[in-house]
Amino acid sequence: MTVSLEQLRRCHIAVDLGAARTRVFVKGAGLVVDEPSAAAVNTRTGALIAVGQFAEQMTGRTPGYIRVVRPVSGGTVVDIEMCQRMLRHLLGEKLRRTLRRKPRLRAAACVPHDADPLARRAAVETMVGLGARRVELVDTLIAAAVGCGLPVERPEATMILVCGAATTQVAVLSLGSIVTAERIPVGGEAIDHAIVQHLRHQHELMLPSQSVRPLQLALSGNGLTPHGPESTEIHGRDVATGLARSVHVDTAAVRDAIHTPLTAVLDGIGKVLRDCPPDLVADLADRGIMMVGGSALLPGLDQMLVNATGMPVRIAERPDVCAVLGLGAMLDGKIQPLGLDPLAG
């Protein structure tokens, strides 16, 4: 792990800054914030107008002087000041006052696997701006594995697939550490984009950016599997005339459009398995892959991975909040390290 469990038990607050959603866990209070990572700003005055769900609903619907920004991209903070302002408003005055009473506030934050020093520094600076005196960084893969109940501390292989909005991370864990891992720059946003582009090129239709989720609309039922509905009606704007129009879309063609970005995910899984020791791969043949992250709920994705790898694939009970719940379990001292005493001799 990035830090020891003893250090994490001293933390008071844990934050998972994702490209899609921001989640905050407070020791003793549980999960207190689960909101979209979005903020609406008045470009004339610099004032913050809305954060979270309300700011998300404003996307594509604002006048020219209001801009909706996303201070987190791919699990990395790209605008420290805006991220701090967003977090302050999401926490609320009452909770911030409670945290300020801590004499030496300690915070824990998730960082993507193999995050560069600048990304780590940005996460630390964001938490320091909220009043944290010390910040502990934990790999998202470790936190998510703990959050979904995988036995990461045992000397046996566990494989986890973190399906995020901007990136997908896959890793094999053993003895509380990452044996081999891969970060793939393909996530839920890339899949949404593939569907939008398919509809634009094949049907000359532009989907509204926020009124409907392209995936949920185009993949109703088991859209990624051959047993899903043959066609789906989609409403959007005609590219040529700009008028509202509805078309019936063949879901088989949508499946083909989605498979293109997902090929990179399958390649990443193959690379991790090739780099993994044979003994651990033998363990994985029985235990399979655990899927977490908001994009893990994409209909039919688990069955696609089963067909490609031949291994059993499971989706965590609450895949979208596994990382922050894993951090919370470490803060509450629910995870016990495996005792490895040196042999006397």
Side-chain angles (χ1 to χ4, degrees):
M1 293 186 185
T2 314
V3 292
S4 70
L5 288 172
E6 187 61 36
Q7 290 172 314
L8 285 172
R9 286 196 194 101
R10 297 173 187 165
C11 293
H12 306 98
I13 183 172
V15 179
D16 177 19
L17 293 168
R21 298 184 77 86
T22 293
R23 300 175 177 95
V24 180
F25 183 99
V26 175
K27 197 171 187 176
L31 186 63
V32 296
V33 173
D34 185 2
E35 293 277 347
S37 303
V41 184
N42 186 326
T43 55
R44 295 173 181 171
T45 63
L48 201 61
I49 297 173
V51 295
Q53 187 67 42
F54 191 31
E56 177 94 348
Q57 292 171 357
M58 289 184 176
T59 305
R61 297 189 173 97
T62 60
Y65 65 92
I66 296 178
R67 188 164 59 98
V68 178
V69 297
R70 293 186 173 274
V72 185
S73 176
T76 301
V77 178
V78 293
D79 188 338
I80 296 174
E81 182 186 356
M82 185 56 64
C83 192
Q84 290 172 350
R85 294 174 68 185
M86 180 185 75
L87 276 172
R88 287 193 197 102
H89 282 79
L90 288 176
L91 286 172
E93 182 60 35
K94 183 179 178 182
L95 186 54
R96 290 208 315 274
R97 199 182 303 123
T98 304
L99 293 174
R100 278 200 297 266
R101 293 196 191 108
K102 308 286 185 185
R104 289 187 61 83
L105 181 65
R106 288 173 174 246
C110 286
V111 290
H113 179 67
D114 284 344
D116 57 64
L118 283 177
R120 291 173 173 270
R121 182 69 180 173
V124 171
E125 289 288 340
T126 301
M127 301 313 298
V128 168
L130 291 176
R133 297 294 185 89
R134 184 183 175 98
V135 181
E136 311 291 356
L137 300 180
V138 180
D139 197 305
T140 302
L141 292 165
I142 297 283
V146 171
C148 64
L150 290 178
V152 293
E153 293 295 332
R154 296 180 189 169
E156 56 190 41
T158 53
M159 190 171 192
I160 187 166
L161 186 72
V162 180
C163 309
T167 59
T168 299
Q169 303 175 69
V170 57
V172 174
L173 311 173
S174 181
L175 284 173
S177 298
I178 296 173
V179 178
T180 177
E182 190 72 17
R183 192 164 141 198
I184 307 142
V186 172
E189 292 174 354
I191 297 170
D192 285 1
H193 183 71
I195 294 177
V196 170
Q197 291 301 311
H198 168 75
L199 295 174
R200 186 185 180 106
H201 294 148
Q202 298 298 322
H203 300 277
E204 296 184 347
L205 193 76
M206 289 183 66
L207 281 182
S209 62
Q210 201 55 37
S211 59
V212 289
R213 285 255 322 151
L215 276 179
Q216 294 172 352
L217 195 62
L219 299 177
S220 56
N222 299 316
L224 264 184
T225 63
H227 309 294
E230 292 185 3
S231 65
T232 304
E233 185 178 9
I234 294 186
H235 310 279
R237 189 182 77 184
D238 191 281
V239 173
T241 65
L243 300 176
R245 184 162 64 91
S246 300
V247 296
H248 284 274
V249 178
D250 181 17
T251 51
V254 176
R255 277 202 302 275
D256 293 339
I258 285 177
H259 279 199
T260 302
L262 290 181
T263 305
V265 176
L266 298 177
D267 291 343
I269 293 174
K271 185 177 186 304
V272 166
L273 291 174
R274 286 194 298 272
D275 295 342
C276 194
D279 290 342
L280 294 182
V281 175
D283 288 347
L284 294 175
D286 298 326
R287 296 186 179 87
I289 304 171
M290 176 66 81
M291 292 176 62
V292 302
S295 300
L297 299 172
L298 176 66
L301 178 57
D302 52 344
Q303 188 59 46
M304 176 185 170
L305 293 178
V306 169
N307 297 337
T309 63
M311 296 191 298
V313 176
R314 293 174 296 149
I315 301 176
E317 187 176 345
R318 296 179 65 188
D320 50 341
V321 293
C322 279
V324 73
L325 291 182
L327 273 181
M330 296 179 199
L331 263 61
D332 290 338
K334 295 179 180 177
I335 308 300
Q336 297 298 325
L338 182 68
L340 293 175
D341 297 326
L343 297 175

